[in-house]
Amino acid sequence: MTRARFARAARTAALLVLAGAVQAAPVHAADIRPGFAVRGEPLDRHDVVTWGASADRMGDGVADRAYRLVVHTSVGGAGLRIRLSNAFGDRPVTFDSAYAGIRRTGAALVPGSNRALTFDGARSVTVPAGAMALSDPLPGRLPAATDLVISIHSPDAAGPATGHWMAMQTSYTAQGDPTAEEGADDWTGTTGSWTYLDAVSVRPPAGTGAVVALGDSITDGWQSTSDLDRRWPDYLARRLRKSDTDVKGVADEGISGNRVLADGAGQSALNRLGRDVLSLPGVRTVFLFEGVNDIKAHTGVTAQDLITGYREIAARAHAAGKCVVVSTVGPFKGWSEWDPAAEAVRQEVNTYLRGSDDFDAVTDFDRVLRSPYDPERILPFFDGGDHLHPDDKGMAAMADAVDLRNLDCEGGP
């Protein structure tokens, strides 16, 4: 992408907002500041997100419970920091211990790797309702492609917890506080969710950036193999590690069932853009792949409604200095909610996306996934079994279709 094109896109975004053409939500000041953390020193301008997961409201928190959360890093670097989220809480929650270690197997850690994290120099932090807390940088270097384990304990958790329901990754729970232990004996419970943790960042070599995938259940990895990191953003991270590009960080901000326009399965893409995407450090490019849930829900959403939503996301991301890559909506004939009316909306939306100047680049996932014999259906070789979600092979094909040069466009931060 040229600087001239980026400037033109940013001017167009600003004009759309000023003219009132985008009305679902305004450009928020919070969208363009470096972070939302209310506790902890500000994010360093060289920090880059190495892992992220969209926050959502979960069940009630449990007092005196510990979580051993397994996450997989994308970019390596020094000064590891974690972000704890109480975004959906209705009362403060205290974390009186937090540790970061490297996984050996299961809930067991590599001996000597488990290290205490601090918040403003203290081992304990209380996060107000609706807020987040950023840990202090941890000395030492964290490698790329590492199974990082964050262990946290809250003595007083209650009310709605914040986390990510569908992790496609096994993590562990315990009563009491065994967070400092490296063994697995006390971690007798398992969970398929990430609770309270929503981001990890590091400080990689100068000039390194990240891409954030904003999406729904396909991006979240449904129908990919659990515990093997086979979501399409995981495959993309593997490609980026081997490539000659400055974009190395990848954050997967997918939520199963998520929509562009309406809250429901998580806040809409419009409403969570600031927190889940633009607040993350080092983001150079936003990769937008959403829309099928708006279409198949039969709520009366038109192609023009979706186009307006896409344009607002692009406008807000451009105003924050990010590049925006968009993908076409994939095929879903055979899914129970498919009908010719929904297909007509999908085709109209994809025609707009392929020819629009509102974005910096387009990736055509529809072309990658569709069957040549029935373009309204996903190719059987890529079908995870429900005619909507790709399997591991489909996820890999999607990642392979991304032009990596588009993720490192000029004009980003």
Side-chain angles (χ1 to χ4, degrees), residues 60-80:
D60 285 350
V62 179
D64 196 28
R65 174 167 290 180
Y67 298 89
R68 177 152 281 183
L69 306 171
V70 180
V71 304
H72 195 69
T73 65
S74 53
V75 62
L80 176 149

Side-chain angles (χ1 to χ4, degrees), residues 59-105:
D60 285 350
V62 179
D64 196 28
R65 174 167 290 180
Y67 298 89
R68 177 152 281 183
L69 306 171
V70 180
V71 304
H72 195 69
T73 65
S74 53
V75 62
L80 176 149
R81 309 178 83 170
I82 69 169
R83 194 170 77 174
L84 300 177
S85 178
N86 193 23
F88 292 88
D90 61 7
R91 67 200 74 188
V93 59
T94 296
F95 300 94
D96 57 3
S97 62
Y99 282 77
I102 306 299
R103 186 165 75 146
R104 184 178 65 184
T105 182

Side-chain angles (χ1 to χ4, degrees), residues 312-344:
E312 184 187 339
I313 290 172
R316 287 166 57 189
H318 284 148
K322 317 302 181 187
C323 299
V324 184
V325 177
V326 72
S327 172
T328 50
V329 180
F332 66 102
K333 187 177 182 180
W335 178 267
S336 60
E337 295 167 298
W338 184 93
D339 63 17
E343 180 64 22

Side-chain angles (χ1 to χ4, degrees), residues 145-165:
T146 295
D147 275 352
L148 174 69
V149 177
I150 305 299
S151 303
I152 57 175
H153 174 263
S154 173
D156 63 356
T162 297
H164 188 85
W165 278 108

Side-chain angles (χ1 to χ4, degrees), residues 4 6 18 33 43 64 67 105 107 123 144 175 188 233 255 320 334 388 394:
F6 182 86
L18 290 173
R33 65 185 183 180
L43 290 165
D64 196 28
Y67 298 89
T105 182
R123 295 286 293 273
Q175 285 302 116
T188 56
I255 294 182
L388 170 62

Side-chain angles (χ1 to χ4, degrees), residues 186-266:
D186 289 326
W187 298 94
T188 56
T190 60
T191 176
S193 302
W194 291 304
T195 306
Y196 296 117
L197 178 72
D198 82 334
V200 178
S201 61
V202 295
R203 191 171 305 161
T208 304
V211 56
V212 178
L214 177 60
D216 50 38
S217 56
I218 299 177
T219 297
D220 214 8
W222 184 243
Q223 298 290 11
S224 68
T225 305
S226 294
D227 295 326
L228 292 181
D229 301 303
R230 291 182 176 177
R231 313 163 193 86
W232 75 261
D234 297 321
Y235 285 109
L236 179 63
R238 294 182 183 102
R239 286 190 65 203
L240 288 169
R241 279 196 298 275
K242 300 174 182 177
S243 70
D244 183 19
T245 175
D246 289 332
V247 172
K248 299 294 183 184
V250 177
D252 185 336
E253 300 291 331
I255 294 182
S256 180
N258 199 230
R259 303 177 192 173
V260 174
L261 302 175
D263 292 348

Side-chain angles (χ1 to χ4, degrees), residues 41-48 81 134 203 281-282:
E41 62 185 75
L43 290 165
D44 187 276
R45 61 194 179 97
H46 298 306
D47 286 353
V48 173
R81 309 178 83 170
L134 186 67
R203 191 171 305 161

